[in-house]
Amino acid sequence: MNRQTLHDLRPPTFAARLLEARAPLEFWSLLPAAGMLRRQPRGDGRPIVVLPGFTADDRSTAPLRSYLSWLGYDARPWGLGRNRGDPERDAERLLARLDAGPPVTLVGWSLGGVVARLVASGAPEQVREVVTLGTPVEGGPKYTSTASLYARARGVDLDAFERHVHEVNTRGIPVPLTIVYSRSDGVVGWRAALDRYNPGARHVEVRGSHLGLGVSPTVWRILARILAGHEP
């Protein structure tokens, strides 16, 4: 039995895709949640790099980085421009930027989480921990709503790419790893966002859209607690 059948891997439903329209509401829900967010554990000044998703750039992660900076962390952009969908190349580029510094925490949104996982797998001495938000673990782009777009843009065969992703995943990630996912994710099929390769991976389920994960007060609270060493 292949992994697709074994784990019931599939793209998001049409209903979940429609629900992505709620993302702006999730952003504006930060305002009434401000009091709760102010009460979260404070940071210790350590460096945190936040990685954007497919076709996005550092502007998409600016609100989250601002909050992490306010908590007391050294929150940084990834600084590589727009995420154009080549995670292995971007992992090499990001690693080159980290060589001279202390181990960093990587927070990756969607495809940015794939880049974070590759960096942590290939150079664990440079990474303190990884937190991913709605990141496709199984199948690469195959079980996402952007699969055909990605395949055309990158000129890849989705089935062959899935086999490559499986091989990469079997190498493991020897640093603390937290997976934040939503069953109503309209971009990444939620079953494909689960990590079945690393037994120590911690999974945290939230409610919300894929496009709203980086601006969700619930996710911000969870991140604040994880980074402070608390249970989410």
Side-chain angles (χ1 to χ4, degrees):
M1 183 180 296
N2 61 31
R3 295 185 68 83
Q4 180 175 358
T5 302
L6 178 64
H7 301 302
D8 193 21
L9 302 175
R10 48 186 161 168
T13 64
F14 180 69
R17 297 182 192 189
L18 290 178
L19 285 173
E20 286 298 308
R22 65 192 149 155
L25 297 177
E26 292 169 317
F27 173 75
W28 288 112
S29 69
L30 289 168
L31 292 176
M36 175 271 290
L37 293 172
R38 282 196 298 266
R39 294 192 297 271
Q40 297 312 305
R42 304 295 297 179
D44 58 4
R46 72 178 183 269
I48 298 175
V49 179
V50 186
L51 292 68
F54 182 43
T55 74
D57 57 24
D58 288 321
R59 289 173 293 183
S60 68
T61 66
L64 175 55
R65 286 186 283 110
S66 294
Y67 177 60
L68 295 177
S69 295
W70 181 84
L71 284 177
Y73 296 103
D74 178 12
R76 308 172 181 176
W78 80 329
L80 299 178
R82 189 174 300 278
N83 187 333
R84 301 191 182 278
D86 190 342
E88 293 181 332
R89 181 203 63 175
D90 288 337
E92 292 179 359
R93 295 167 67 203
L94 181 60
L95 184 58
R97 295 170 62 91
L98 303 179
D99 280 345
V104 301
T105 294
L106 300 177
V107 176
W109 188 356
S110 193
L111 189 62
V114 175
V115 178
R117 290 171 60 91
L118 287 170
V119 172
S121 176
E125 70 281 357
Q126 294 290 334
V127 180
R128 175 169 175 160
E129 64 184 318
V130 172
V131 182
T132 63
L133 313 177
T135 290
V137 176
E138 298 269 7
K142 184 175 180 180
Y143 306 111
T144 74
S145 61
T146 59
S148 58
L149 171 65
Y150 186 91
R152 288 196 301 270
R154 301 295 304 168
V156 300
D157 176 272
L158 292 176
D159 292 331
F161 201 84
E162 179 179 27
R163 292 190 291 272
H164 171 69
V165 169
H166 172 67
E167 180 182 343
V168 171
N169 280 331
T170 58
R171 300 171 190 168
I173 299 175
V175 303
L177 175 63
T178 301
I179 312 294
V180 178
Y181 71 99
S182 169
R183 289 176 187 253
S184 57
D185 190 316
V187 175
V188 176
W190 71 269
R191 294 175 181 85
L194 305 182
D195 190 318
R196 303 175 181 88
Y197 294 90
N198 297 281
R202 172 172 52 185
H203 291 80
V204 183
E205 182 181 352
V206 299
R207 293 181 180 180
S209 69
H210 181 88
L211 297 177
L213 284 172
V215 292
S216 161
T218 300
V219 172
W220 285 18
R221 176 183 60 82
I222 288 169
L223 273 173
R225 294 186 60 80
I226 289 171
L227 296 174
H230 297 209
E231 283 299 312

